[in-house]
Amino acid sequence: MQEELLDIARFWLDRGVDGFRLDTVNFYFHDNELRDNPPLDPAHRNDNTAPSVNPYNFQDHLHDKSQPENIDFLRRLRAVMDEYPAATSVGEVGESQRGTQVQAAYTAGDDLLHMCYDFDFLSNTYPKGTQVAAVLTRYQQIVTEGWACWAYSNHDVVRHATRWNLSEEARRTYAALLMAIQGSVCLYQGEELGLTEAYVAYEDLQDPYGKRFWPKFKGRDGARTPMPWVADQQNGGFSDERPWLPVAMEHLERAVSVQDREAGSTLAFYRQMIAFRKAHRVLQKGDMRVVEAEDGYLSLIREHEGVRLLCAFNLSNGARPVDFPPGEWRIDRGAPFKCKTDDRGTVLPPWQACFALAESG
């Protein structure tokens, strides 16, 4: 089986794919003795990787995943991938209790996965500044050799604009935060359009998960509806034929064809913020240190090759002054945000961000 999988990987790498996303990457082996998982203490249960109605959450998954043989296979896969230039891998870690530890084990060194993501920012927990700081601090303490890939939304969870009930301004600030923290960034289709979770009627459901647990859990199809490309075309320009899931009518006003014409659109913002990240190598490669963390405010410093970049985020509905660490800081106006500076200092209006540069030392 392993040889067949490695041959399939070679088949696609020979055809020029850039790499692979490995779904539930820690699920590939189970316990050789087929031991049952013990029950999980209810105090430790959460719905990070499975809905609360799923009995899967009632077990402590010690024997059906994250087995040591898995690492041996990933090492073999990486050896194949290293035969091809610039091929990369990202693993999805499906683990509600030990996700960061699995990330560390699966990305340590240079002979395993290039990066992994778990469900810290894919959960229902609202990402207050203190919560984000706690995740980042834990990550830095545990993943000392590896590399993370961060995401807010994917095909398994309610879109984060809906899940966290974010305003348009909040979506943009959290997007900037995602692109400022150490690690790679994964943007889910439609996120750059500001799409919210779509309502999918029971008779239109395709997800077996939703059919099984309806109505307590309505499945994942609300995040999987077609991408709206052209507002005034059939099926939003996604297909001339009936798609697998219906196009959400409320998504049409956010179609690419609409936002392409608007300088202040969500799509334009994402393009600007991605360009800003690409323009600063410190955001791509730099070390990271959390400076301040409050529920409604977070600041951190990225540092690389003699350059420091302060990234400050107002995650609240009120104005917030920026507290600069010691140094000669110069605000970088290239980011698509507004911060006000006068004789009294620099102030962030609600849901705004500030980026400032200084030399190390």
Side-chain angles (χ1 to χ4, degrees):
M1 174 65 74
Q2 291 188 42
E3 293 297 336
E4 179 68 19
L5 289 170
L6 295 176
D7 284 345
I8 291 172
R10 285 192 181 91
F11 174 89
W12 289 109
L13 289 165
D14 284 340
R15 280 150 183 79
V17 299
D18 292 322
F20 302 107
R21 175 196 175 275
L22 289 86
D23 197 68
T24 55
V25 69
N26 55 319
F27 281 50
Y28 299 162
F29 288 83
H30 56 70
D31 177 55
N32 285 328
E33 299 178 23
L34 299 179
R35 287 175 289 181
D36 292 336
N37 290 322
L40 181 64
D41 185 335
H44 297 153
R45 295 175 188 171
N46 60 57
D47 59 357
N48 287 356
T49 61
S52 57
V53 296
N54 192 340
Y56 179 87
N57 291 324
F58 303 167
Q59 303 175 37
D60 191 1
H61 293 271
L62 297 178
H63 303 310
D64 61 342
K65 61 184 181 182
S66 303
Q67 299 301 298
E69 297 91 339
N70 216 43
I71 292 181
D72 295 333
F73 172 72
L74 294 179
R75 191 168 281 118
R76 296 187 67 193
L77 175 63
R78 176 62 181 265
V80 170
M81 297 188 69
D82 283 348
E83 298 172 11
Y84 299 81
T88 194
S89 58
V90 55
E92 177 199 41
V93 174
E95 173 57 66
S96 293
Q97 279 71 47
R98 295 167 285 270
T100 309
Q101 288 82 353
V102 175
Q103 268 188 303
Y106 283 25
T107 62
D110 58 3
D111 62 346
L112 292 166
L113 294 176
H114 297 82
M115 55 190 141
C116 275
Y117 74 87
D118 69 1
F119 281 68
D120 276 319
F121 294 143
L122 292 163
S123 72
N124 291 320
T125 302
Y126 187 85
K128 299 177 181 178
T130 49
Q131 167 68 13
V132 173
V135 169
L136 298 179
T137 300
R138 184 175 71 250
Y139 169 80
Q140 289 186 309
Q141 291 171 345
I142 296 175
V143 188
T144 56
E145 295 183 55
W147 192 252
C149 180
W150 304 102
Y152 291 153
S153 289
N154 70 10
H155 63 286
D156 282 329
V157 299
V158 172
R159 288 184 179 275
H160 71 276
T162 298
R163 195 170 76 244
W164 297 331
N165 192 27
L166 299 179
S167 65
E168 176 66 30
E169 294 76 15
R171 295 174 206 175
R172 298 187 183 198
T173 305
Y174 274 111
L177 172 56
L178 185 69
M179 296 186 211
I181 59 180
Q182 185 182 40
S184 299
V185 178
C186 185
L187 301 179
Y188 182 54
Q189 61 90 3
E191 186 173 337
E192 73 277 27
L193 302 179
L195 298 188
T196 53
E197 185 80 354
Y199 171 76
V200 180
Y202 180 81
E203 57 269 21
D204 291 324
L205 283 184
Q206 301 293 340
D207 185 9
Y209 220 168
K211 295 178 181 179
R212 171 63 181 83
F213 291 110
W214 183 278
K216 290 184 178 180
F217 176 66
K218 297 182 179 179
R220 299 164 292 184
D221 286 341
R224 299 175 174 184
T225 54
M227 180 91 163
W229 291 98
V230 184
D232 57 359
Q233 286 188 8
Q234 182 180 7
N235 299 315
F238 181 82
S239 171
D240 292 334
E241 305 297 329
R242 180 181 179 184
W244 183 249
L245 290 167
V247 175
M249 291 299 100
E250 67 272 20
H251 287 176
L252 293 179
E253 65 185 23
R254 288 184 171 271
V256 176
S257 64
V258 175
Q259 298 201 39
D260 249 346
R261 302 191 299 264
E262 299 176 358
S265 69
T266 305
L267 178 59
F269 165 82
Y270 268 83
R271 287 171 173 164
Q272 293 164 8
M273 195 62 219
I274 291 171
F276 182 79
R277 177 182 166 92
K278 286 184 175 180
H280 292 278
R281 189 168 177 80
V282 65
L283 286 176
Q284 303 167 42
K285 301 291 185 180
D287 295 333
M288 178 181 66
R289 175 172 61 88
V290 174
V291 178
E292 288 186 82
E294 303 169 1
D295 284 355
Y297 179 79
L298 179 68
S299 66
L300 51 91
I301 287 178
R302 303 294 307 277
E303 185 168 359
H304 184 66
E305 296 180 344
V307 175
R308 287 189 296 166
L309 181 66
L310 176 70
C311 312
F313 305 91
N314 186 352
L315 308 175
S316 75
N317 293 319
R320 171 57 159 86
V322 178
D323 299 318
F324 289 95
E328 297 293 326
W329 293 96
R330 173 180 57 82
I331 295 176
D332 189 324
R333 303 288 181 180
F337 287 99
K338 298 176 181 178
C339 55
K340 300 177 181 179
T341 302
D342 56 27
D343 294 340
R344 294 170 294 179
T346 299
V347 175
L348 280 176
W351 296 108
Q352 291 293 317
C354 176
F355 297 87
L357 289 160
E359 294 182 359
S360 298

